Amino acid sequence: MEYFIRPMERADLETCGQIEQSAGDPWSLAQLTEELENQQAGGASRLFVAQLPGQPVVGLAAWQLAAGEASLYTLTVSPKARRTGAGSALLRESMEALRGEGAETAFLEVRASNAGAIALYEQAGFVADGRRPRFYQNPTEDAVLMHRAL
Protein backbone atom coordinates (compact mmCIF):
# COMPACT_ATOMS: atom_id res chain seq x y z
CA MET A 1 0.00 0.00 0.00
CA GLU A 2 1.22 3.48 -0.82
CA TYR A 3 0.47 5.81 2.08
CA PHE A 4 0.34 9.55 1.59
CA ILE A 5 2.07 11.47 4.41
CA ARG A 6 1.16 15.10 4.99
CA PRO A 7 1.12 17.70 7.77
CA MET A 8 -1.77 17.33 10.20
CA GLU A 9 -4.67 19.74 9.77
CA ARG A 10 -7.34 20.85 12.23
CA ALA A 11 -9.89 18.61 10.44
CA ASP A 12 -7.72 15.58 11.37
CA LEU A 13 -7.80 16.18 15.12
CA GLU A 14 -10.82 14.09 16.06
CA THR A 15 -9.68 11.06 14.04
CA CYS A 16 -6.13 11.40 15.39
CA GLY A 17 -7.49 11.62 18.93
CA GLN A 18 -9.37 8.36 18.37
CA ILE A 19 -6.25 6.69 16.93
CA GLU A 20 -4.21 7.85 19.93
CA GLN A 21 -6.63 6.11 22.29
CA SER A 22 -5.29 2.78 20.97
CA ALA A 23 -1.80 3.63 22.31
CA GLY A 24 -0.41 2.53 25.67
CA ASP A 25 -0.03 6.10 26.99
CA PRO A 26 -2.32 8.00 24.63
CA TRP A 27 -2.17 11.71 24.03
CA SER A 28 -5.41 13.50 24.73
CA LEU A 29 -7.29 15.48 22.13
CA ALA A 30 -6.33 18.61 24.09
CA GLN A 31 -2.61 17.72 23.81
CA LEU A 32 -2.89 17.09 20.07
CA THR A 33 -4.77 20.37 19.63
CA GLU A 34 -2.11 22.27 21.59
CA GLU A 35 0.69 20.76 19.50
CA LEU A 36 -1.13 21.52 16.25
CA GLU A 37 -1.69 25.12 17.35
CA ASN A 38 2.01 25.36 18.21
CA GLN A 39 2.92 24.09 14.74
CA GLN A 40 0.52 26.51 13.05
CA ALA A 41 1.99 29.40 15.08
CA GLY A 42 5.50 28.57 13.84
CA GLY A 43 6.62 26.78 17.00
CA ALA A 44 8.71 23.63 17.37
CA SER A 45 5.87 21.09 16.93
CA ARG A 46 5.64 19.08 13.72
CA LEU A 47 2.66 16.77 13.24
CA PHE A 48 2.11 14.40 10.32
CA VAL A 49 -0.66 12.01 9.32
CA ALA A 50 -0.81 8.92 7.09
CA GLN A 51 -3.65 7.94 4.81
CA LEU A 52 -4.37 6.09 1.63
CA PRO A 53 -5.73 8.28 -1.19
CA GLY A 54 -9.44 8.92 -0.64
CA GLN A 55 -9.41 7.13 2.73
CA PRO A 56 -9.49 8.38 6.33
CA VAL A 57 -6.31 9.09 8.29
CA VAL A 58 -4.87 5.89 9.82
CA GLY A 59 -1.83 7.17 11.72
CA LEU A 60 -0.04 10.15 13.16
CA ALA A 61 3.43 11.22 14.23
CA ALA A 62 4.21 14.16 16.50
CA TRP A 63 7.72 15.60 16.66
CA GLN A 64 9.50 18.56 18.22
CA LEU A 65 12.21 20.23 16.14
CA ALA A 66 14.77 22.46 17.83
CA ALA A 67 18.45 23.26 17.29
CA GLY A 68 18.89 20.58 14.61
CA GLU A 69 17.37 17.85 16.79
CA ALA A 70 14.05 16.13 16.07
CA SER A 71 12.40 14.32 18.98
CA LEU A 72 9.58 11.88 18.24
CA TYR A 73 6.87 12.25 20.88
CA THR A 74 4.31 9.84 19.48
CA LEU A 75 3.84 7.62 16.46
CA THR A 76 0.53 5.80 16.54
CA VAL A 77 -1.20 3.76 13.85
CA SER A 78 -4.80 2.60 13.99
CA PRO A 79 -4.97 -1.08 15.02
CA LYS A 80 -6.64 -1.91 11.67
CA ALA A 81 -3.73 -0.40 9.73
CA ARG A 82 -0.83 -1.85 11.74
CA ARG A 83 1.67 -3.94 9.79
CA THR A 84 0.52 -2.42 6.48
CA GLY A 85 3.41 0.03 6.06
CA ALA A 86 1.67 3.07 7.56
CA GLY A 87 4.12 3.36 10.47
CA SER A 88 7.15 2.93 8.23
CA ALA A 89 5.85 5.53 5.79
CA LEU A 90 5.06 7.99 8.59
CA LEU A 91 8.50 7.57 10.10
CA ARG A 92 10.40 7.75 6.81
CA GLU A 93 8.51 10.68 5.30
CA SER A 94 8.31 12.73 8.48
CA MET A 95 12.06 12.33 9.06
CA GLU A 96 12.71 13.42 5.47
CA ALA A 97 10.55 16.52 6.01
CA LEU A 98 12.38 17.31 9.25
CA ARG A 99 15.75 16.82 7.57
CA GLY A 100 14.58 19.34 4.97
CA GLU A 101 14.01 21.78 7.83
CA GLY A 102 17.53 21.33 9.17
CA ALA A 103 17.22 18.39 11.56
CA GLU A 104 20.50 16.48 11.81
CA THR A 105 19.60 13.88 14.45
CA ALA A 106 16.37 12.16 15.50
CA PHE A 107 15.66 10.91 19.02
CA LEU A 108 12.88 8.83 20.56
CA GLU A 109 11.84 6.77 23.56
CA VAL A 110 9.95 3.49 23.20
CA ARG A 111 8.52 1.05 25.73
CA ALA A 112 11.05 -1.69 26.42
CA SER A 113 8.35 -4.34 25.81
CA ASN A 114 7.21 -2.89 22.47
CA ALA A 115 9.14 -5.28 20.23
CA GLY A 116 7.19 -4.29 17.10
CA ALA A 117 7.99 -0.59 17.49
CA ILE A 118 11.62 -1.30 18.36
CA ALA A 119 11.93 -3.41 15.19
CA LEU A 120 10.33 -0.61 13.13
CA TYR A 121 12.78 1.94 14.54
CA GLU A 122 15.78 -0.36 14.04
CA GLN A 123 14.75 -0.96 10.41
CA ALA A 124 14.66 2.84 10.01
CA GLY A 125 18.26 3.08 11.24
CA PHE A 126 17.74 3.94 14.91
CA VAL A 127 20.10 2.46 17.48
CA ALA A 128 19.46 1.99 21.18
CA ASP A 129 21.75 4.01 23.39
CA GLY A 130 20.28 3.79 26.87
CA ARG A 131 17.27 3.28 29.10
CA ARG A 132 15.11 5.63 31.12
CA PRO A 133 13.85 3.70 34.18
CA ARG A 134 10.11 3.79 34.93
CA PHE A 135 9.49 6.35 32.16
CA TYR A 136 6.09 4.97 31.15
CA GLN A 137 2.99 4.54 33.32
CA ASN A 138 0.00 2.20 32.94
CA PRO A 139 1.90 -0.07 33.35
CA THR A 140 5.14 1.32 34.74
CA GLU A 141 7.95 0.40 32.39
CA ASP A 142 11.39 1.49 31.22
CA ALA A 143 11.90 3.39 27.99
CA VAL A 144 14.58 2.42 25.52
CA LEU A 145 16.34 5.55 24.22
CA MET A 146 17.15 5.50 20.51
CA HIS A 147 18.66 7.89 18.00
CA ARG A 148 19.85 8.13 14.41
CA ALA A 149 21.55 10.67 12.19
CA LEU A 150 19.38 12.23 9.50
Side-chain angles (χ1 to χ4, degrees):
M1 292 186 213
E2 193 66 33
Y3 286 94
F4 175 65
I5 309 303
R6 62 171 173 78
M8 185 186 291
E9 300 171 356
R10 182 165 287 285
D12 300 320
L13 281 170
E14 187 149 335
T15 300
C16 288
Q18 292 169 357
I19 292 168
E20 262 303 296
Q21 293 312 301
S22 70
D25 279 325
W27 280 31
S28 68
L29 184 57
Q31 287 172 299
L32 288 171
T33 301
E34 182 179 337
E35 292 299 315
L36 183 60
E37 288 171 354
N38 176 278
Q39 174 177 295
Q40 291 174 337
S45 299
R46 301 293 185 274
L47 290 88
F48 300 89
V49 296
Q51 65 186 128
L52 293 169
Q55 299 293 314
V57 167
V58 297
L60 67 136
W63 296 82
Q64 289 283 310
L65 175 61
E69 294 181 350
S71 297
L72 181 62
Y73 283 10
T74 187
L75 190 151
T76 307
V77 173
S78 166
K80 295 180 286 188
R82 291 183 184 152
R83 303 213 188 292
T84 66
S88 296
L90 258 174
L91 190 59
R92 182 181 60 253
E93 298 296 326
S94 62
M95 286 191 305
E96 186 62 28
L98 293 162
R99 190 170 70 79
E101 288 192 60
E104 298 172 358
T105 309
F107 296 92
L108 62 86
E109 295 98 7
V110 59
R111 279 185 181 272
S113 66
N114 194 340
I118 291 170
L120 171 72
Y121 298 137
E122 288 175 341
Q123 287 175 337
F126 282 86
V127 294
D129 57 2
R131 283 176 94 84
R132 190 166 280 145
R134 298 174 304 282
F135 181 77
Y136 290 103
Q137 304 303 310
N138 305 318
T140 301
E141 187 173 356
D142 290 358
V144 175
L145 305 175
M146 302 182 86
H147 80 281
R148 68 157 281 183
L150 296 177

